[in-house]
Amino acid sequence: MKILVTGGLGFIGSHTVVELQNEGFDVIVVDNLSNASIDVLDGIEAITGKRPIFEKFDLRDKLKVQEFFGKYDIDGVIHFAASKAVGESVEKPLLYYENNLGVLVYILQELEKKGGGNFIFSSSCTVYGQADEMPITEDAPVKPAESPYGNTKQIGEEIIRDTCKVNPELKAIALRYFNPFGSHPSNQIGELPLGVPQNLIPFITQTGIGLREQLSVFGDDYPTEDGTCIRDYIYVVDLAKAHVKALQRLLKGENASNYEVFNLGTGKGSSVLEVIQSFEKVSGQKLKYRIVDRRPGDVIQAYADTTKANKVLGWKAKATLDEAMKTAWDWERKVRNSDKDKS
Ligand code: WQD
């Protein structure tokens, strides 16, 4: 079985390629290396003993997408390739609409031409905005997006849903990620944020290693137990395994309809201060941080009701916050030490 993984050298993509190859799938990675390093291919091979086929091109090039689908007979597509920085999307909306939606249309057009296919879409809990009830189920209303990035996830789901309606042989699953983090236990691949990390945990580990002066905690005056925001931090390897489960569901024709949605989280909420405590416990060192003003657009809390993924996909996140935090810290130290060796 040949599986196309777009953005397959990225953070979640690379961990999913590992799990696909572990399950015996033949993987073809397409990545433009705009937010990934070619070295990730070596990491994937070191872990699985197999090197995926790699095609470097930008999926915004419609002709190249058409050539690709003319060249390979693909059994399934897992589509990660997209821009994902919330703040950047506010400054460059057209970059996000072209890269996150234009590319999606090109890929779906190729599947439609082939008469259908199996398609897994990388979506996000950001589509819920501030949900009214916790934990959040898949039936929670989709709220007006707070950013162009979030809007591309909402519109992306609608594009897929509408396309599936007129293509009964096109089977799709949208996976709404909560907050992925960590790195592979082999320490061969992990999160490689370019520039100043926007997300909490890479910023924490970079502060811990001394790359950042201190962490700014964006507000401690929220209506939560300790005043800081609550999120559902899910280990990236658990998240990757869920993609294999979703793909297998489609390949076996077990899907209840040809467009399904699943939340992927742990079902447990953790506050920013609890995440800091987890890092301090795992690293054995105090983290330097200060409380600053709230970050515009942050929701107070978001954590998943995982019942549907547990029951229907037969998948459940396993790693605790501390277990996953240890992998994030191990990776940070490895990357920084190898940087020092290079300098
Ligand atoms: C988590 C918490 C911050 C940084 C975003 C996207 C989402 C997904 C994951 C792509 C919040 C606080 C953060 C810092 C802080 N991305 N924080 N200081 O905002 O929940 O989700 O990333 O799919 O779509 O929206 O994640 O890690 O940015 O923030 O206090 O330096 O940590 O306020 O409460 P978020 P995050």
Side-chain angles (χ1 to χ4, degrees):
M1 288 274 186
K2 278 200 192 65
I3 308 301
L4 162 60
V5 179
T6 70
L9 294 190
F11 172 42
I12 303 168
S14 56
H15 287 83
T16 303
V17 170
V18 163
E19 299 308 322
L20 285 168
Q21 293 196 158
N22 286 345
E23 284 293 315
F25 289 101
D26 294 321
V27 175
I28 302 166
V29 169
V30 169
D31 203 304
N32 66 0
L33 299 182
S34 63
N35 191 25
S37 158
I38 189 75
D39 299 343
V40 172
L41 272 176
D42 299 332
I44 292 168
E45 186 174 11
I47 298 168
T48 63
K50 246 176 94 175
R51 198 174 184 85
I53 296 171
F54 175 57
E55 299 257 2
K56 178 182 183 287
F57 67 88
D58 194 317
L59 290 154
R60 286 174 292 188
D61 183 334
K62 186 173 183 177
L63 282 178
K64 288 236 188 295
V65 174
Q66 292 169 338
E67 276 167 24
F68 177 89
F69 278 89
K71 181 177 171 185
Y72 293 100
D73 191 13
I74 297 293
D75 297 293
V77 179
I78 305 186
H79 181 44
F80 292 103
S83 303
K84 62 161 201 165
V86 173
E88 182 189 47
S89 77
V90 175
E91 286 145 36
K92 301 177 184 169
L94 287 177
L95 167 73
Y96 276 69
Y97 289 117
E98 181 189 37
N99 198 32
N100 293 12
L101 298 178
V103 168
L104 172 64
V105 168
Y106 296 162
I107 293 171
L108 291 176
Q109 283 172 331
E110 293 310 307
L111 295 180
E112 187 171 64
K113 272 189 228 168
K114 286 179 178 273
N118 301 297
F119 186 76
I120 307 283
F121 179 63
S122 170
S123 190
S124 168
C125 64
T126 203
V127 302
Y128 298 115
Q130 178 53 72
D132 302 324
E133 287 171 39
M134 292 297 137
I136 304 172
T137 67
E138 287 82 356
D139 305 325
V142 168
K143 292 208 173 158
E146 305 257 349
S147 69
Y149 161 77
N151 208 21
T152 66
K153 292 302 179 185
Q154 290 181 4
I155 300 169
E157 289 190 6
E158 290 163 9
I159 289 171
I160 298 162
R161 189 196 57 210
D162 293 346
T163 308
C164 287
K165 270 185 195 145
V166 293
N167 289 280
E169 291 312 306
L170 174 60
K171 301 182 286 180
I173 288 179
L175 298 174
R176 291 173 178 169
Y177 309 157
F178 280 70
N179 289 60
F181 80 106
S183 66
H184 193 268
S186 65
N187 221 17
Q188 294 287 343
I189 56 174
E191 189 164 11
L192 269 177
L194 302 179
V196 179
Q198 298 305 305
N199 294 131
L200 177 65
I201 292 171
F203 204 106
I204 285 179
T205 55
Q206 288 192 15
T207 303
I209 203 89
L211 208 58
R212 308 288 162 205
E213 177 55 35
Q214 63 177 337
L215 170 74
S216 298
V217 173
F218 297 138
D220 69 347
D221 58 350
Y222 284 96
T224 61
E225 206 170 304
D226 65 18
T228 63
C229 295
I230 292 170
R231 296 289 185 277
D232 186 332
Y233 296 94
I234 177 170
Y235 182 38
V236 66
V237 173
D238 284 332
L239 188 71
K241 290 179 191 284
H243 288 73
V244 180
K245 287 280 190 183
L247 179 68
Q248 288 168 330
R249 177 175 172 77
L250 294 182
L251 290 171
K252 291 176 196 161
E254 292 171 349
N255 49 304
S257 73
N258 72 331
Y259 177 60
E260 295 177 304
V261 177
F262 293 92
N263 285 341
L264 295 185
T266 64
K268 182 180 178 313
S270 300
S271 74
V272 175
L273 293 182
E274 285 169 335
V275 173
I276 292 171
Q277 283 149 23
S278 172
F279 172 77
E280 292 183 335
K281 179 176 161 194
V282 157
S283 65
Q285 64 184 62
K286 294 301 279 176
L287 186 84
K288 199 160 175 256
Y289 68 89
R290 61 184 174 148
I291 307 293
V292 300
D293 292 339
R294 295 181 175 190
R295 179 173 69 176
D298 273 338
V299 297
I300 302 166
Q301 51 180 342
Y303 54 94
D305 179 314
T306 60
T307 311
K308 188 177 174 189
N310 300 158
K311 285 190 177 153
V312 176
L313 289 185
W315 166 87
K316 188 169 176 52
K318 293 195 174 69
T320 65
L321 182 66
D322 291 352
E323 287 164 346
M325 181 65 75
K326 182 174 182 320
T327 69
W329 182 227
D330 288 345
W331 175 250
E332 186 66 63
R333 284 179 296 170
K334 176 182 177 181
V335 167
R336 296 310 155 203
N337 289 337
S338 60
D339 282 353
K340 275 191 201 131
D341 296 348
K342 280 182 201 147
S343 55

